[in-house]
Amino acid sequence: MKFSIVIYAAPYSSEAASSALRFARSVIDQGHELYRLFFFGDGVHNASQLTVVAQDENNLQQQWNDLIEEHSIDSVICVSSALRRGVLNQTEADRHDLGTASAYTSSEVAGLGQLVDAAIHSDRLVNFG
Amino acid sequence: MTCLHTISKSPDTQLLESCLKIIASGDAILFIEDGSYYANSARKLEAIDKTCKIYGLREDMLARAILTRAADSVELIDTARFVKLCCDHDKIVSWF
Amino acid sequence: MTENSKPQKSRITFISRAAPYGQNKANLCLDMALASAVFEQDVNYIFFGDGVYQILKGQDGSAIESKTLGNALETLELYGIEKIYADRQSLEERDISEPELLSGMQIVDSDSIAKMIESSDTVFNL
């Protein structure tokens, strides 16, 4: 079955992002297709690569990145949410003259059309917020 | 055509009560994250229509030391089963 | 245009349950619905619970240096979203009467909302 997952929550502030990650892993483990991850609102912070966590703590952003890369998942961070929260890829950083890219390159920065597309083309869309 | 409703915030938010206003018979409810605490309250669960199955996410309840306190009406499931439940229902309505 | 020419049309229901200004859920929900309308999906938009505070007339976000959400909601119809509903019980519980609401809202009972959910392909609820 084709799943898409929408993540509205920042990591660490609530359990939602980590629930979503566990759910995403389980979707893949069971052989389903993960059509798209869509990070929206505060959820875009999950794609930030400029993070440091204590050694005995999970780095959620890194774990998302590992999962996305390992399984070549189509992952999108919402452009309007991301820009105002400082989660930028190199293209956006250059365009706005901000120098540093802060987003993992494993996620694409794109618009809400990608969410609508996920809603249309997935058998199941699950929200975590 | 049934829905799986996930409830992920504490009973203080009244999410279950909101959900019950628009739930359809045959739908299912899954408590996750802080929503797990609903599973601890048999009295609140009595308001759920008998045609609606009630599930609690085991991992979240284990973390919160409420696994053994779950009401009899709650079936405890793991994340893998959560994914299966999503397949068994036509859509998922998340309450957060 | 007929339904047949758009096989990629799905019915998406948005349940907007958050009051405006205090948090951004109302805005996120609206943005998703407008995007769905741009991509010509069949959209239901429902104000439920504290979400009905979004449709009170007379909002002035400028008082807190915010955009006025009420104005943005009036754009729903411009984007072709015509199925806009408010839950009767949510209004009653908050002592809000119909003349206090923005125009274009259909007031419906929770039974109708349950049916809309049932007939939808996807539901966003926030």
Side-chain angles (χ1 to χ4, degrees):
Chain A
M1 210 166 241
K2 259 190 221 180
F3 279 79
S4 285
I5 301 175
V6 190
I7 299 103
Y8 302 81
Y12 315 114
S13 309
S14 74
E15 193 191 340
S18 112
S19 294
L21 179 66
R22 285 193 299 275
F23 185 87
R25 284 181 178 141
S26 187
V27 164
I28 293 166
D29 287 347
Q30 292 179 56
H32 297 295
E33 181 188 343
L34 192 45
Y35 181 76
R36 181 163 296 140
L37 294 171
F38 193 89
F39 295 96
F40 191 35
D42 284 344
V44 299
H45 288 297
N46 288 285
S48 170
Q49 63 169 345
L50 303 180
T51 61
V52 179
V53 303
Q55 271 187 353
D56 61 348
E57 229 179 77
N58 284 333
N59 185 329
L60 270 175
Q61 289 96 334
Q62 199 178 352
Q63 291 180 331
W64 276 119
N65 182 59
D66 291 348
L67 186 79
I68 293 163
E69 290 197 327
E70 186 184 344
H71 300 281
S72 308
I73 300 166
D74 182 329
S75 174
V76 173
I77 51 178
C78 170
V79 62
S80 61
S81 303
L83 287 180
R84 52 168 75 98
R85 288 171 178 81
V87 182
L88 312 171
N89 60 10
Q90 198 59 54
T91 312
E92 295 297 336
D94 291 344
R95 178 178 303 159
H96 300 280
D97 221 2
L98 289 164
T100 315
S102 53
Y104 277 110
T105 54
S106 57
S107 289
E108 182 196 354
V109 179
L112 279 165
Q114 297 297 309
L115 175 63
V116 180
D117 173 80
I120 298 169
H121 292 106
S122 309
D123 300 309
R124 298 291 183 272
L125 184 133
V126 188
N127 295 275
F128 287 87
Chain B
M1 293 295 278
T2 60
C3 281
L4 173 68
H5 298 262
T6 64
I7 293 181
S8 64
K9 298 286 184 268
S10 129
D12 273 357
T13 59
Q14 303 270 310
L15 283 179
L16 174 63
E17 292 72 8
S18 296
C19 168
L20 292 181
K21 287 176 187 164
I22 50 179
I23 198 169
S25 65
D27 284 359
I29 298 175
L30 166 62
F31 297 113
I32 63 170
E33 302 167 31
D34 278 354
S36 308
Y37 293 112
Y38 270 114
N40 193 18
S41 173
R43 194 178 49 78
K44 289 200 167 82
L45 303 180
E46 277 171 18
I48 301 172
D49 189 280
K50 296 290 171 267
T51 64
C52 299
K53 289 275 291 171
I54 310 171
Y55 303 93
L57 193 65
R58 198 173 185 285
E59 293 92 318
D60 280 325
M61 299 188 67
L62 189 64
R64 288 165 174 79
I66 52 170
L67 198 55
T68 56
R69 303 170 67 97
D72 292 339
S73 54
V74 178
E75 182 178 343
L76 304 176
I77 63 165
D78 60 10
T79 299
R81 183 81 191 286
F82 177 7
V83 173
K84 290 193 181 77
L85 281 182
C86 292
C87 300
D88 294 343
H89 294 83
D90 302 290
K91 57 194 158 259
I92 300 92
V93 179
S94 311
W95 296 80
F96 57 88
Chain C
M1 280 193 278
T2 63
E3 288 283 330
N4 291 339
S5 67
K6 281 181 254 154
Q8 300 292 29
K9 191 162 188 144
S10 84
R11 179 172 293 172
I12 309 180
T13 292
F14 295 87
I15 310 174
S16 191
R17 295 188 353 261
Y21 307 108
Q23 49 180 343
N24 68 343
K25 283 181 174 175
N27 305 78
L28 295 180
C29 198
L30 178 62
D31 288 348
M32 289 193 287
L34 296 181
S36 303
V38 167
F39 290 93
E40 297 185 43
Q41 301 306 300
D42 178 10
V43 173
N44 289 315
Y45 205 88
I46 304 168
F47 296 98
F48 189 83
D50 276 348
V52 298
Y53 285 123
Q54 295 174 44
I55 52 175
L56 270 181
K57 269 196 283 208
Q59 297 172 43
D60 181 8
S62 70
I64 51 170
E65 293 166 63
S66 260
K67 282 190 190 166
T68 301
L69 187 73
N71 295 345
L73 290 173
E74 287 178 328
T75 61
L76 281 169
E77 277 183 300
L78 292 175
Y79 279 76
I81 299 174
E82 286 160 356
K83 296 187 287 178
I84 312 173
Y85 307 96
D87 173 53
R88 185 185 312 278
Q89 195 188 346
S90 304
L91 292 168
E92 284 170 3
E93 284 168 356
R94 290 161 183 80
D95 286 326
I96 300 171
S97 59
E98 198 168 348
E100 297 174 281
L101 300 179
L102 299 172
S103 61
M105 308 293 152
Q106 294 179 53
I107 299 178
V108 291
D109 291 314
S110 52
D111 286 352
S112 316
I113 297 174
K115 288 197 183 76
M116 286 179 221
I117 295 171
E118 207 171 345
S119 68
S120 301
D121 298 304
T122 308
V123 178
F124 291 97
N125 175 34
L126 74 164

